[in-house]
Amino acid sequence: MEIIDSPALMTAWADKTRIAGKTICLVPTMGFFHDGHLSLMRKASDIADEVVVSLFVNPIQFGPNEDLARYPRAFERDSGLAEKAGISVLFAPKAEQIYPTGFCTKVCVSRLTETLCGLSRPGHFDGVTTVVAKLFHIIKPHYAIFGAKDFQQLAIIRKMVTDLNWDVRIVAHPIVREKDGLAMSSRNSYLSLDERSQALCLSRALQMAREEVANGETDAAKLIRKVRDYITASGDVVIDYVAIVTAGDLTPCTRISNDSLLALAVKIGRTRLIDNTLLARE
Ligand code: AMP
């Protein structure tokens, strides 16, 4: 495994690889790897000849009161795990290599960014699309893999790629969970033991909602109320949102159908967690 920090060297590697007729799959990450990240890397290896994992805690996707400074970092451990996963390149630039002095360009997707997480994290998705656009240009991947845990991010990136006629195929990876159902996240490391058990209310609420739908519930507003009540009853947590939207375009649903997605964001102590599920009816 090569570790590359310079964008110019990364592009030289990508050009050489493409000229050799090999395909490249990119796995963009912010590091502090867990089994979710490793599962994305394994899928990438199945899809393409060469896998590039980017490890970059992207400063411009964090708001002023968010956790940029304390975001968990463990470079040595991460590079060991990536090497074991058999990837070709770990691309780990410094912030000033991605955003040199004077950088003033933004890539923004409208509409899809103006709902759900976009409401409580203004500017977040502009930061995501800007860095992903840069990564696509630097690494020139044929494929890029994103996790369905961040389903809004996935929908926004798909839209960016379609709208800008980008020749990169976006691949979705299902949510990877702990044995007890908690969606894996680097931010789970912030949770105290008590908070860790409170955090189970997210995946359990989703499970409860799937059961309600299997038992015939079709009214989105009613289901949202039940989910909110379930989460509120499970402890001292703060709901950011509970929403039912159409999976592709994130518009709100009133009736539940096969492409309805239930999404939620909940604050457990100081930690904001997200989770989601499709509400397909059997
Ligand atoms: P992050 O390092 O948190 O920015 O995540 C990097 C990539 O891994 C993103 O595409 C995430 O959606 C994906 N990811 C993170 N956690 C999970 C998970 N539990 N299951 C599936 N994908 C995940």
Side-chain angles (χ1 to χ4, degrees), residues 28-30 34 37 40 71 146-147 149-150 153 174-176 184:
T29 81
M30 297 207 300
H34 49 65
H37 294 116
L40 265 66
Y71 195 83
F146 294 86
K149 183 171 97 64
D150 300 277
Q153 168 174 281
I175 301 177
V176 179
M184 290 189 183

Side-chain angles (χ1 to χ4, degrees), residues 40-260:
L40 265 66
M41 293 178 207
R42 283 192 292 273
K43 183 161 183 164
S45 305
D46 291 343
I47 291 174
D49 301 319
E50 307 281 353
V51 177
V52 177
V53 174
S54 61
L55 193 173
F56 182 62
V57 182
N58 177 32
I60 67 165
Q61 72 183 67
F62 288 79
N65 299 316
E66 293 187 351
D67 55 343
L68 173 62
R70 68 181 189 121
Y71 195 83
R73 291 162 169 90
F75 185 78
E76 294 305 322
R77 178 180 160 273
D78 283 354
S79 55
L81 288 170
E83 172 124 50
K84 247 192 178 160
I87 69 158
S88 315
V89 176
L90 185 63
F91 178 53
K94 295 187 182 51
E96 56 272 24
Q97 289 171 294
I98 295 295
Y99 304 117
T101 308
F103 185 89
C104 58
T105 299
K106 239 196 245 174
V107 179
C108 305
V109 174
S110 59
R111 222 162 33 75
L112 294 183
T113 54
E114 292 153 19
T115 178
L116 308 171
C117 291
L119 294 175
S120 47
R121 304 190 69 190
H124 166 69
F125 289 116
D126 295 349
V128 171
T129 41
T130 300
V131 80
V132 170
K134 287 202 60 139
L135 292 171
F136 284 179
H137 283 301
I138 293 167
I139 300 163
K140 303 179 181 175
H142 300 79
Y143 305 91
I145 298 199
F146 294 86
K149 183 171 97 64
D150 300 277
F151 78 94
Q152 187 175 12
Q153 168 174 281
L154 178 60
I156 289 166
I157 293 199
R158 282 192 195 286
K159 192 79 184 99
M160 173 179 83
V161 163
T162 304
D163 285 355
L164 298 180
N165 304 85
W166 225 311
D167 190 15
V168 51
R169 182 151 327 152
I170 303 302
V171 178
H173 189 289
I175 301 177
V176 179
R177 298 180 177 281
E178 303 284 357
K179 280 203 180 74
D180 60 8
L182 180 67
M184 290 189 183
S185 165
S186 306
R187 289 191 168 97
N188 291 349
S189 64
Y190 296 150
L191 301 170
S192 69
L193 269 180
D194 272 0
E195 290 170 341
R196 171 68 181 72
S197 55
Q198 275 188 343
L200 287 176
C201 70
L202 280 88
S203 55
R204 287 183 178 158
L206 298 179
Q207 175 61 29
M208 182 274 287
R210 280 193 299 268
E211 284 163 16
E212 290 284 327
V213 172
N215 290 333
E217 182 61 83
T218 57
D219 183 323
K222 268 195 201 156
L223 190 59
I224 288 173
R225 225 172 301 128
K226 285 179 190 169
V227 169
R228 293 189 75 97
D229 289 347
Y230 183 95
I231 293 174
T232 308
S234 61
D236 189 17
V237 302
V238 178
I239 296 174
D240 179 356
Y241 66 78
V242 175
I244 298 177
V245 296
T246 305
D249 63 8
L250 309 184
T251 52
C253 299
T254 46
R255 289 262 143 225
I256 291 157
S257 63
N258 275 338
D259 61 352
S260 297

